Amino acid sequence: MNIGLLYSLEEHEQMATAANPKEFLPDPLSIHFGLSFIASALKKAGHNVRFLLVAPHTDLSEELTRFIGEFNPRMIGLTAVATQYPIISQIAEIVKKIDGSIYTVLGGVHAILQPALIEEDIFLDALCAGEGEVAVVSLADAVEKGVQPANIPNLWIRNSATNTIEKNGNDPFDPDLDAFPFIERKMWDPWIASKPITRQHVLIARGCPFKCTYCANHILAETQEGKQLRFRSPENVIAELRQIRLDYPDVESIYFEVETFGGNKSFATHFCKKLEEYNASLQKPIRYGINVAVTRNISKNSPEILDAMQRANFDFVNIGLESGSEKYRRDVLKRPEYTNEDIIYFSKMARERSINVSLYVLIGLPGETVEDFNQTVDCAKQCVPFACSLSKFFPYPGTRLYDIAKEQNVINAHVDTRLERRISVLNMKQFPAWRINYEYLMFHFRVFQGQIPFFIRATGVLRKLMGMYPLLNSLYMYFAHRTQIGLFLHRKSTRTQFTDAGAPIVPALEFRP
């Protein structure tokens, strides 16, 4: 059966040339893991799968009519976070108007957090309220047979004959991630602008042991029984690396996607040892990057862990600082236990081993004060990061920090989702929107003082200012990626990790993608 999987980009940041206007994704690190795993599961079950990507400028009716006419999908899978849902709901409606017999199913974080939305959205036939690899195959098999899907764990299913919603319970988390097929990558290639493909990313775990209030992970953990935090075996990851090298011989760098790395010192050092052995078999070793959630224990063991990472050829680590106010971080964000000194020490140990550090930081959090953010700037500066991604807090429904913002009555009546994490949607007297915007613009200018020349820091301020306005941002992206002088200036004003052909992964003077 033909199945379409649709991905909507909140913002169109393509690096395409005029000759390739539909290359929406700047590089392979922009592909969607969830849809990729679903595609792999469906293809393994014998279904014919095709992706469709849309951007804010896309004529949805025209593009969906073309896609459906050419491919004739019998089922279309959609995915969304909260800010994507309005456009995804519109897409489901258009699909049904083009061909009412096409089965529509919604998955993703928003569907898991808000499953009851299917009761109001009449254009959705099913909703996945848990992990979807097994459920979607059972659903597709039923649709292909022309029978009413029923009794499928993890799915809420509309019965059009009785006008009811069947709310199935969720199966436990699958403990064996090694059993999942490797994700589909080749299907994304037509949508990727940067060629040849010299970098990829690999998911090595699912779940998170922490309960950060701005994140959905701890809530997702409550949707299914069993252990949510699961790691793939190093041997299974190495097998995927070998497959990537076969499919993409130009690959030079790999970023490992994981909520945290290093919490289990034994696993971390064993994983690094396997990467070291794999690299020893290559004529040109692969460079690696990964996310590390610094805790007191990880900081204490950082020399040993970082030594192993250095031998494995890790180039950089991403660290979630989020806030430099230890009190706010502890009492409101519920971050894992670490002091500013812990993260500064870990950063220092990494730099001494030629491993660059990139920080993730939030601004405009509910109840945050200017003094709290000044502590964030001070801590970030002492970490001497290679790069730093700053995002304005966005309240995702279903998270604890969203509830806190509602309790404080600081969420604006109309929440603009067009520039998610680039404009402030909270109304706080102690940290008003104008001051949040000012601190947002000046953050990198302050943090990188003495590390980056004045001109580049000032250019970064201008770039971030343009990014806060959709039209200016679109003009910049066109100028930066479709003209030689624009590309030159973009490269000069952006520090990157895993640099190849000047294309950024973790920019120092821009916002988190």
Side-chain angles (χ1 to χ4, degrees), residues 448-502:
F448 290 101
Q449 184 177 6
Q451 186 182 355
I452 294 178
F454 175 88
F455 170 76
I456 296 181
R457 288 185 290 131
T459 302
V461 173
L462 179 61
R463 167 66 188 108
K464 291 177 69 173
L465 180 63
M466 296 176 69
M468 294 167 63
Y469 298 91
L471 179 58
L472 287 177
N473 191 59
S474 296
L475 289 173
Y476 171 83
M477 295 306 298
Y478 183 94
F479 178 70
H481 298 307
R482 293 194 183 184
T483 67
Q484 289 299 317
I485 187 172
L487 182 59
F488 173 79
L489 292 174
H490 179 74
R491 292 175 179 176
K492 283 293 184 181
S493 63
T494 307
R495 295 184 94 188
T496 66
Q497 305 283 24
F498 277 175
T499 302
D500 71 22

Side-chain angles (χ1 to χ4, degrees), residues 217-422:
N217 261 307
H218 65 286
I219 301 172
L220 300 180
E222 299 170 0
T223 63
Q224 297 177 234
E225 296 293 329
K227 187 177 180 181
Q228 187 213 21
L229 178 58
R230 295 147 291 161
F231 284 86
R232 296 168 60 188
S233 69
E235 292 76 13
N236 184 252
V237 174
I238 296 298
E240 184 169 8
L241 296 186
R242 291 195 177 97
Q243 184 62 54
I244 289 172
R245 292 276 294 181
L246 287 174
D247 294 338
Y248 303 95
D250 295 314
V251 162
E252 300 173 350
S253 57
I254 299 286
Y255 180 73
F256 293 117
E257 297 281 359
V258 60
E259 293 296 336
T260 183
F261 181 75
N264 184 324
K265 185 177 71 171
S266 177
F267 172 84
T269 53
H270 177 60
F271 183 74
C272 289
K273 180 63 175 177
K274 290 297 181 181
L275 292 178
E276 182 184 356
E277 292 172 356
Y278 172 65
N279 263 347
S281 70
L282 303 177
Q283 186 174 1
K284 184 177 181 181
I286 295 176
R287 296 175 291 126
Y288 302 110
I290 202 165
N291 184 68
V292 175
V294 174
T295 64
R296 298 300 302 271
N297 185 55
I298 291 174
S299 178
K300 181 179 66 175
N301 294 305
S302 58
E304 184 177 351
I305 294 172
L306 288 166
D307 282 342
M309 293 175 69
Q310 182 186 36
R311 290 191 297 269
N313 208 31
F314 276 84
D315 262 23
F316 78 94
V317 294
N318 287 335
I319 300 174
L321 169 62
E322 310 307 357
S323 172
S325 167
E326 294 181 359
K327 184 177 186 300
Y328 188 91
R329 200 166 61 217
R330 179 186 65 249
D331 296 344
V332 182
L333 297 184
K334 306 298 182 183
R335 290 284 292 161
E337 184 182 355
Y338 60 89
T339 66
N340 287 354
E341 287 303 316
D342 289 326
I343 203 166
I344 292 168
Y345 175 72
F346 184 91
S347 300
K348 180 176 181 291
M349 292 296 99
R351 291 197 314 275
E352 289 181 356
R353 290 156 178 81
S354 300
I355 299 175
N356 289 322
V357 170
S358 297
L359 299 178
Y360 285 152
V361 176
L362 290 169
I363 184 175
L365 295 152
E368 184 182 27
T369 66
V370 174
E371 177 55 32
D372 288 331
F373 191 70
N374 283 335
Q375 293 177 42
T376 301
V377 173
D378 181 64
C379 181
K381 189 169 184 178
Q382 290 188 63
C383 287
V384 194
F386 179 86
C388 197
S389 295
L390 177 67
S391 299
K392 293 179 181 176
F393 168 73
F394 188 92
Y396 291 105
T399 62
R400 175 56 186 148
L401 206 52
Y402 173 88
D403 294 337
I404 291 174
K406 292 284 285 187
E407 292 164 6
Q408 294 179 358
N409 196 30
V410 295
I411 298 181
N412 293 326
H414 172 68
V415 177
D416 191 340
T417 63
R418 292 174 302 164
L419 290 174
E420 174 195 4
R421 295 185 291 176
R422 300 189 186 184

